[in-house]
Amino acid sequence: MFTSVPGLTSIPSLWLQITIVAVWVLLVLLIAWVVKRFANGEPEILRKIVHIGTGNVILLAWWLDVPASVGITASILASAVTLLSYRFPILPGINSVGRQSLGTFFYAVSVGILVAYFWHLQQPQYAAIGIMVMAWGDGLAALIGQRFGKHQYKIFGAQKSWEGSFTMALVSYLVSSLILLGVEGNTWQTWVVSLAVALVATGLEAVSFLGVDNLTVPLGSAALAFALFQLWPT
């Protein structure tokens, strides 16, 4: 089980936990700033650096056994800041003022919902699946789709590429498999559930608009994985 980590038999103090998580977030923001300042980074690349990097906080929270109250509070604060950032330049390079997307807000909300629910159930692996599928799957799908997406399609007016959708499915499958392998082991459920999560997450991402996939993908992926393991216990 990932919840039993060698060398962490005694859980660090709450302030140490918060400090470690905060340092990670600041490091991600610093990397994005350096890329923007010295490498003339494109806005979308900067956003995906933050998108992917901050998503990994869920693994730190799981590893350190951070209390749910901390994750929920951080989610509320992040949601408030992101809402303000749509009107004021609080997060330049991450959100543009007036940008027609609530993706960053939905991202923060999804973290709070998943932490609140699955920490309570003492099943943090499902929260991790939801957030990591969103962080890595959607993040890399957007980058690959924009760079190499030659075969376009539209669903409900949203333009996607088959290259991006394939990346979403592949990365979602890998992320889910790695997490479930560490928790459930090498069972048929691990591989079947991972495949189901990958397909559903890709479908949810394909029909997204106004950034709503940052809510539907993590919640849908986590809920599906949880439900299937209730149906097919190991």
Side-chain angles (χ1 to χ4, degrees):
M1 296 286 291
F2 286 0
T3 49
S4 177
V5 180
L8 280 181
T9 52
S10 59
I11 299 172
S13 69
L14 178 60
W15 285 112
L16 179 57
Q17 293 173 331
I18 294 173
T19 299
I20 293 172
V21 172
V23 167
W24 175 261
V25 174
L26 290 174
L27 178 61
V28 171
L29 295 176
L30 177 61
I31 292 172
W33 179 83
V34 169
V35 171
K36 179 181 180 181
R37 179 68 176 81
F38 298 102
N40 194 29
E42 299 176 11
E44 187 61 23
I45 293 178
L46 297 177
R47 281 193 289 270
K48 293 311 176 184
I49 288 175
V50 175
H51 180 93
I52 294 172
T54 54
N56 288 283
V57 166
I58 195 70
L59 296 181
L60 277 177
W62 179 12
W63 183 50
L64 296 171
D65 198 17
V66 172
S69 58
V70 173
I72 295 169
T73 300
S75 171
I76 293 171
L77 292 175
S79 299
V81 170
T82 53
L83 279 179
L84 289 173
S85 73
Y86 291 114
R87 296 188 63 85
F88 307 102
I90 299 175
L91 301 172
I94 300 175
N95 286 323
S96 300
V97 177
R99 184 167 177 251
Q100 296 301 308
S101 171
L102 291 173
T104 309
F105 170 70
F106 288 139
Y107 200 171
V109 169
S110 66
V111 171
I113 293 173
L114 290 177
V115 167
Y117 189 73
F118 288 110
W119 254 243
H120 173 70
L121 294 181
Q122 297 184 343
Q123 301 281 348
Q125 65 268 27
Y126 298 112
I129 286 173
I131 298 302
M132 294 301 285
V133 164
M134 184 67 237
W136 285 96
D138 178 75
L140 292 178
L143 293 176
I144 295 297
Q146 289 184 7
R147 293 277 180 169
F148 306 105
K150 304 299 183 183
H151 302 88
Q152 307 290 324
Y153 67 93
K154 282 189 177 183
I155 297 182
F156 301 137
Q159 183 165 299
K160 305 289 182 177
S161 72
W162 288 109
E163 291 83 356
S165 293
F166 176 77
T167 301
M168 177 72 184
L170 177 61
V171 174
S172 297
Y173 180 75
L174 291 175
V175 164
S176 301
S177 297
L178 288 173
I179 293 173
L180 292 175
L181 273 173
V183 177
E184 304 293 344
N186 185 14
T187 65
W188 68 265
Q189 291 95 327
T190 289
W191 307 112
V192 172
V193 170
S194 296
L195 179 59
V197 167
L199 295 176
V200 168
T202 302
L204 291 172
E205 194 276 335
V207 299
S208 66
F209 57 94
L210 298 179
V212 74
D213 56 321
N214 281 10
L215 186 64
T216 58
V217 169
L219 297 187
S221 299
L224 178 62
F226 177 70
L228 289 179
F229 268 103
Q230 303 310 300
L231 181 63
W232 302 322
T234 54

